[in-house]
Amino acid sequence: MREVTRELQFPEGPVAMRDGSVLLVEIQRGTLSRVWPDGQLDVVAKLGGGPNGAAIGPDGAAYVCNNGGFEWLNPGGINTPGNQSADYLGGSIQRVVLDGPDAGSFTDLYTEVDGRGLRGPNDIVFDSQGGFWFTDLGKRRPRDFDTGAVYYATADGSSIIEVLHPMMQPNGIGLSPDGSRLYVAETGPGRVWYWDVAEPGQLRPADRPIGPHGGSLLHGFAGFQLLDSLAVDGEGNVCVATLRTGAVSVLNPDGTLERQVPVPVPDPYVTNICFAGADSRTAWITSSGLGRLYATEWHCAGLDLAFQA
């Protein structure tokens, strides 16, 4: 595993681009940024709030989950997100233009669902039909916090629906290689759930559902291991960033924990992973507490996402 760059301001949401660069968000900085293979960093868009997860849509634009903003702590030199910030902007899904004369411009595509404001949109994945699933982890305040949800929306801004609620801090989200299964990781409980996809925006409940959201448990992590974002590799393994442990945990589709891949310099905030695609074994991992992006050779080829740029 090699360090590509450092001094990022809590990087998350990495997206491997065809030109070899990596698009990512810097949550603390409030930007969508691009890291080039030589480590050079360019700001693509100043989004404000707390840009959290990103994906490329069918139109070649970047779609960003914005959590609205955190308070920030720095215990022991580790950047750490805290409660809802005093200047919290509200949650949103933002569309960012990447190319052409309007590059860097953005619009708020969604800010509410059925009159309820989005609270803390977190992670996002597109399906092959051009719609996207995303998690809303909610926000934490000194004496209370929001219950979370999973939504499905169209890229043209015309439709958004609540699919799963309540969940406890839903964070990472991904689809199996054939798109037939949806995975969601809950942060605090340390659990990864799955559902069969009936059609875009509709899930089949488990035969014996556990909990109000109707999911099946893929894996529950032992001890004090919190979960962040995830990606699915070319073998269908669910690769979920594991907080406190400071690693990416690899779960095969039957739920077995195969291994945990730590970053070279210990960081409790390993937050995400992405893959270059089906013709490459390169994976990128965000080490957010220390502000670093790593690249490593994965044990198998990556997975082509529904849309790439």
Side-chain angles (χ1 to χ4, degrees):
M1 193 177 295
R2 65 180 178 86
E3 181 183 303
V4 180
T5 194
R6 61 172 60 192
E7 297 184 359
L8 300 169
Q9 296 183 40
F10 213 87
E12 242 273 36
V15 179
M17 307 293 279
R18 287 196 178 101
D19 61 9
S21 67
V22 176
L23 200 68
L24 50 74
V25 302
E26 294 182 81
I27 301 180
Q28 188 176 17
R29 194 181 191 187
T31 62
L32 181 67
S33 305
R34 188 191 296 260
V35 179
W36 297 95
D38 64 359
Q40 178 185 330
L41 177 70
D42 291 333
V43 171
V44 175
K46 297 179 180 179
L47 302 176
N52 208 127
I56 302 299
D59 55 358
Y63 289 74
V64 177
C65 293
N66 195 312
N67 66 47
F70 291 122
E71 292 179 345
W72 291 94
L73 309 171
N74 192 255
I78 301 292
N79 263 2
T80 303
N83 290 332
Q84 177 178 309
S85 64
D87 58 353
Y88 170 65
L89 296 178
S92 63
I93 301 296
Q94 298 172 309
R95 177 185 179 273
V96 184
V97 178
L98 296 180
D99 300 306
D102 296 325
S105 64
F106 65 93
T107 54
D108 288 344
L109 194 66
Y110 296 105
T111 60
E112 62 178 39
V113 183
D114 297 329
R116 298 183 304 276
L118 296 175
R119 300 299 302 160
N122 191 285
D123 199 12
I124 180 173
V125 63
F126 273 88
D127 63 21
S128 59
Q129 287 75 34
F132 59 91
W133 301 87
F134 72 95
T135 55
D136 189 323
L137 183 142
K139 302 299 286 186
R140 190 180 75 222
R141 294 163 294 277
R143 293 284 178 173
D144 65 283
F145 60 88
D146 304 308
T147 54
V150 172
Y151 298 100
Y152 184 84
T154 56
D156 61 4
S158 65
S159 174
I160 182 170
I161 57 173
E162 182 182 272
V163 182
L164 299 172
H165 180 269
M167 295 193 75
M168 185 62 68
Q169 298 179 315
N171 193 321
I173 193 166
L175 290 163
S176 61
D178 63 1
S180 67
R181 181 184 278 191
L182 181 76
Y183 297 104
V184 178
E186 289 182 312
T187 297
R191 293 185 288 242
V192 178
W193 301 90
Y194 71 89
W195 296 258
D196 291 331
V197 178
E199 58 183 81
Q202 292 190 19
L203 302 174
R204 296 188 183 93
D207 292 335
R208 294 183 177 180
I210 303 172
H213 50 63
S216 297
L217 183 65
L218 183 73
H219 188 86
F221 282 73
F224 187 49
Q225 298 189 87
L226 313 181
L227 304 182
D228 210 293
S229 298
L230 65 84
V232 177
D233 68 20
E235 292 181 346
N237 301 303
V238 179
C239 306
V240 57
T242 309
L243 306 175
R244 304 300 175 186
T245 305
V248 173
S249 298
V250 182
L251 304 172
N252 71 30
D254 71 6
T256 302
L257 176 60
E258 295 290 345
R259 65 189 175 283
Q260 293 184 306
V261 181
V263 293
V265 180
D267 182 351
Y269 286 97
V270 172
T271 58
N272 210 336
I273 181 172
C274 75
F275 299 99
D279 60 348
S280 171
R281 293 193 175 200
T282 302
W284 283 270
I285 295 171
T286 49
S287 175
S288 302
L290 294 176
R292 301 180 184 185
L293 176 68
Y294 292 103
T296 188
E297 182 173 334
W298 207 242
H299 74 279
C300 67
L303 178 68
D304 285 336
L305 299 176
F307 305 100
Q308 295 176 287

